[in-house]
Every structure is written in structure tokens, then in C-alpha cells.
């Protein structure tokens, strides 16, 4: 995934350059911060590992959804193609994290915890500021 990340980062830099834009400063992501706060305190190493995998899966899934929205709604063909590639990549990352969780833990345990994370996310998602400068 690291090589892929480097390739994607180079794609972003090239697209920014082509369009006369610059990479902004990295900022804390409120969505990720909120997710991390949903981890159970004092849980086992296994429980912590499962939560980490599921948080990663959720972040990838949401990124995929945002790229899909861009791909489907932009008129610019070059950007459509650009975001389509990211959408496909994020979908595979989401599946990978979920698959890893199912490799290490029983499926019912994974799904029970996954449902916890969906409920937890739903409890705060409506309160987050809508920003147009963040995709991942
Ligand atoms: Fe990803």
C-alpha cells in the first residue's frame, strides 16, 4: 500500500501543478479525531487491534463514497477520471481492512463491532462542520 500511496500522492501533486494550485498544510481531521474517541478504554490488545482495523475500514469506506460523489457529479472529464481511480483504490482499501479483521477474528464478532462503529459514527456525523477542502 505504501507504493500505491506514493503513486497517488504524486498524482495529486501533478494535478495540483497542472492546475496552478499548491498543496495546503496538513490539518487535523475532526472526523478521525471523533472516531478515535469511540475506542473502548482498557480493552484487550485484540480488541484494540480489531477497533483499529475497523476504524481504518470506515475511513476508507467514507473516502470511497466522497470520491464516488465527485466522480459522478463533476463535468470535468479529467477530474472524473482522476477521482474514479481514487474511488476504486479506496474501495479496495476498505475491503482489505475488513477482510483483515475477518481473518483475525470471528465474523460475528467483527460484525458486532462494525455495527457499534456505524452507530457511534451516526451519533456525531451530523455535528461535523461541512468542509470542501478535505477528501480523506
Ligand atoms: Fe485509502
Amino acid at each position: 500500500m505504501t507504493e500505491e500511496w506514493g503513486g497517488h500522492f504524486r498524482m495529486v501533486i501533478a494535478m495540483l501543478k497542472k492546475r496552478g494550485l499548491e498543496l495546503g498544510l496538513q490539518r487535523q481531521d475532526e472526523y478521525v479525531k471523533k472516531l478515535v474517541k469511540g475506542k473502548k478504554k482498557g480493552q484487550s490488545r485484540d480488541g484494540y487491534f480489531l477497533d483499529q482495523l475497523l476504524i481504518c475500514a470506515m475511513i476508507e469506506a467514507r473516502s470511497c463514497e466522497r470520491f464516488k460523489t465527485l466522480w459522478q457529479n463533476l463535468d470535468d472529464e479529467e477530474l472524473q477520471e482522476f477521482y474514479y481511480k481514487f474511488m476504486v483504490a479506496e474501495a479496495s482499501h476498505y475491503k482489505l481492512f475488513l477482510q483483515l479483521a475477518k481473518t483475525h477474528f470471528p465474523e460475528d464478532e467483527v460484525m458486532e463491532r462494525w455495527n457499534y462503529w456505524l452507530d457511534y459514527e451516526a451519533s456525531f456525523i451530523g455535528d461535523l462542520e461541512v468542509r470542501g477542502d478535505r477528501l480523506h
Side-chain angles (χ1 to χ4, degrees), residues 8-46:
H8 287 170
F9 189 66
R10 278 190 292 277
M11 279 171 63
V12 170
I13 295 298
M15 185 61 80
L16 288 172
K17 192 174 174 188
K18 190 173 179 181
R19 291 172 180 252
L21 300 168
E22 281 183 28
L23 188 65
L25 291 174
Q26 191 169 7
R27 288 191 245 177
Q28 283 200 325
D29 189 314
E30 291 303 314
Y31 172 71
V32 173
K33 268 172 66 181
K34 284 272 192 184
L35 274 185
V36 170
K37 281 187 186 163
K39 284 187 202 168
K40 262 197 270 177
K41 304 268 184 291
Q43 62 180 328
S44 67
R45 207 177 146 98
D46 277 355

Side-chain angles (χ1 to χ4, degrees), residues 1 4-5 8 56 59-61 63-64 67 86 89-94 97 136:
M1 212 188 281
E4 186 187 34
W5 186 91
H8 287 170
C56 290
I59 291 169
E60 300 292 343
S63 298
C64 176
F67 288 129
F86 285 98
E90 298 298 69
S92 75
H93 300 162
Y94 155 67
F97 281 116
H136 198 284

Side-chain angles (χ1 to χ4, degrees), residues 50 54 98 101-102 105-114:
L50 176 57
L54 295 181
L98 213 48
K102 288 177 183 173
F105 300 95
E107 184 154 354
D108 56 344
E109 189 181 334
V110 172
M111 294 323 292
E112 190 185 318
R113 202 64 192 144
W114 181 244

